[in-house]
Amino acid sequence: MLHQNLEWFFPHKVEEAVKLIEQQGVILHGGGTRILKTSPKSIKGLVDVGRLNLNYIHHADNHFSIGSASTYADIIRYSLKTNKLLILAKALSEAASTPLRNRITIGGSLKDFPIWSSLYAPLLALNAQIEIAEKHEKILSLEEYLDSGMIKTKHLIKRIIVDDIPNIIGGVKRFSLIRFEYPLFTIAVVLQVKQKTVSEARIFITGVKGRHKRCKRAEHFLIDKELNDETIQQAEKHFAPKFVSDYKYSAEYKEHTAKVFFTDLLHELKGTLK
Ligand SMILES: Cc1cc2nc3c(=O)[nH]c(=O)nc-3n(C[C@H](O)[C@H](O)[C@H](O)COP(=O)(O)OP(=O)(O)OC[C@H]3O[C@@H](n4cnc5c(N)ncnc54)[C@H](O)[C@@H]3O)c2cc1C
């Protein structure tokens, strides 16, 4: 149950929202899907982001700018219309359900970072940047945002920036036994390939011990190699994410499944090469 005398705020300016959340017990409200589920008793006020003009997706100067009030559904619709942001849209279209995708915002999702996040693995693989509202513009990579521990502090996320890089191929795989269950892990692979040879690789998995992991050994192995069956078979040996056992699955089972999914994903990417 949320606090009975809960106060709602609907600011029109980012600066006002930032000031409001300086108060104890006052937090931002994006889609509300996490807040309503957990209903923390400490919440005294909610600052809605809906009137801050942060619901947009722009494409200019070879990058996409995605406002933090955009929902999963907004990104999927944009991708269908423009044939852009395909890796991200694929991941988000598999998340939760239609009514939830209509509500879940990019800002709320980034700040929340549930272990079943569909957003983090593709954004990290795409080397996304995040803008935080501060006195001076503060843009940092999503990896820095996580590694610096900033995610644990109170702040307002303004937008996500994703470079529009030509000639990249990529994909995402999530593991859940039933489609509508929370995924146990999500793997995202983004490769730059020139004449069938991998020149850049970014591979991330979420849902692992420590929540997220960059799979650097697998990235290094793939670089300068031709993406063929033999390379893919060898790459699996360099992909060893660590999991925590839970009441349903052992850590070993999850690691084995992740390896199978990783190999399948590389085969799918190989299939897209001309
Ligand atoms: C049944 C169910 C299944 C789900 N399945 C999936 C899934 O498969 N994949 C997936 O990715 N997600 C899934 N979700 C969504 C996920 O669990 C969270 O509920 C969601 O990411 C929170 O986003 P929100 O916009 O609703 O945030 P809110 O609930 O509004 O807020 C969450 C947190 O973020 C803060 N916040 C909000 N906006 C901002 C901002 N702009 N800047 C900084 N902080 C902010 C809030 O203060 C709060 O602390 C599922 C949710 C449910 C209920």
Side-chain angles (χ1 to χ4, degrees):
M1 275 275 285
L2 286 168
H3 204 278
Q4 281 206 327
N5 301 320
L6 183 80
E7 200 172 350
W8 278 90
F9 301 93
F10 298 94
H12 286 83
K13 290 208 168 100
V14 166
E15 302 75 47
E16 286 172 49
V18 170
K19 195 100 197 107
L20 283 163
I21 59 168
E22 281 173 8
Q23 299 171 63
Q24 216 189 354
V26 178
I27 64 164
L28 292 166
H29 172 269
T33 63
R34 177 63 157 200
I35 295 170
L36 288 175
K37 196 157 185 270
T38 50
S39 304
K41 290 202 172 58
S42 55
I43 300 179
K44 296 194 182 86
L46 288 174
V47 180
D48 190 62
V49 301
R51 294 176 197 177
L52 298 175
N53 286 325
L54 293 175
N55 186 346
Y56 59 81
I57 305 173
H58 297 150
H59 182 223
D61 304 328
N62 294 325
H63 66 253
F64 300 95
S65 202
I66 306 172
S68 63
S70 310
T71 63
Y72 280 12
D74 289 329
I75 293 179
I76 296 162
R77 265 195 300 272
Y78 176 87
S79 179
L80 282 171
K81 211 164 70 187
T82 60
N83 212 24
K84 301 275 187 189
L85 292 173
L86 295 173
I87 301 165
L88 189 56
K90 155 116 187 355
L92 301 186
S93 64
E94 291 173 348
S97 62
T98 307
L100 281 162
R101 289 193 297 271
N102 284 336
R103 289 207 62 89
I104 302 170
T105 64
I106 296 304
S109 241
L110 288 171
K111 180 68 172 73
D112 194 30
F113 194 176
I115 195 140
W116 52 85
S117 172
S118 306
L119 184 65
Y120 262 99
L123 280 184
L124 286 164
L126 288 163
N127 202 8
Q129 291 180 292
I130 182 167
E131 184 179 347
I132 310 292
E134 285 199 351
K135 278 195 197 101
H136 307 288
E137 187 184 74
K138 184 168 175 118
I139 297 180
L140 64 168
S141 77
L142 201 55
E143 263 181 290
E144 279 176 279
Y145 174 70
L146 292 176
D147 295 345
S148 65
M150 186 171 203
I151 187 169
K152 296 192 189 112
T153 66
K154 225 183 198 188
H155 54 268
L156 186 149
I157 298 163
K158 278 173 88 175
R159 63 175 173 142
I160 274 287
I161 303 155
V162 181
D163 288 340
D164 184 11
I165 308 165
N167 306 322
I168 56 165
I169 55 168
V172 185
K173 275 210 184 286
R174 77 198 300 256
F175 173 57
S176 65
L177 231 43
I178 308 166
R179 205 211 75 71
F180 50 83
E181 223 178 32
Y182 291 124
L184 283 176
F185 62 76
T186 305
I187 305 171
V189 175
V190 171
L191 306 175
Q192 240 176 318
V193 181
K194 288 178 191 144
Q195 283 142 8
K196 291 203 175 174
T197 301
V198 177
S199 57
E200 294 283 341
R202 286 181 69 87
I203 303 168
F204 283 83
I205 180 164
T206 50
V208 288
K209 210 176 197 173
R211 202 148 293 214
H212 74 287
K213 169 117 181 91
R214 180 169 184 183
C215 307
K216 287 192 182 161
R217 273 180 54 214
E219 289 177 358
H220 288 154
F221 176 77
L222 284 170
I223 289 171
D224 293 334
K225 302 235 171 29
E226 194 177 309
L227 195 62
N228 55 31
D229 290 345
E230 201 193 323
T231 305
I232 295 173
Q233 198 186 359
Q234 295 290 325
E236 196 225 61
K237 297 189 184 118
H238 299 269
F239 181 77
K242 295 287 165 251
F243 291 90
V244 178
S245 299
D246 59 47
Y247 76 102
K248 255 184 172 170
Y249 307 99
S250 68
E252 292 74 26
Y253 175 76
K254 289 191 232 182
E255 182 174 338
H256 173 75
T257 317
K259 278 174 174 277
V260 173
F261 275 42
F262 175 63
T263 309
D264 283 356
L265 189 44
L266 290 183
H267 276 295
E268 280 173 26
L269 295 181
K270 188 194 103 186
T272 64
L273 295 174
K274 304 227 168 61

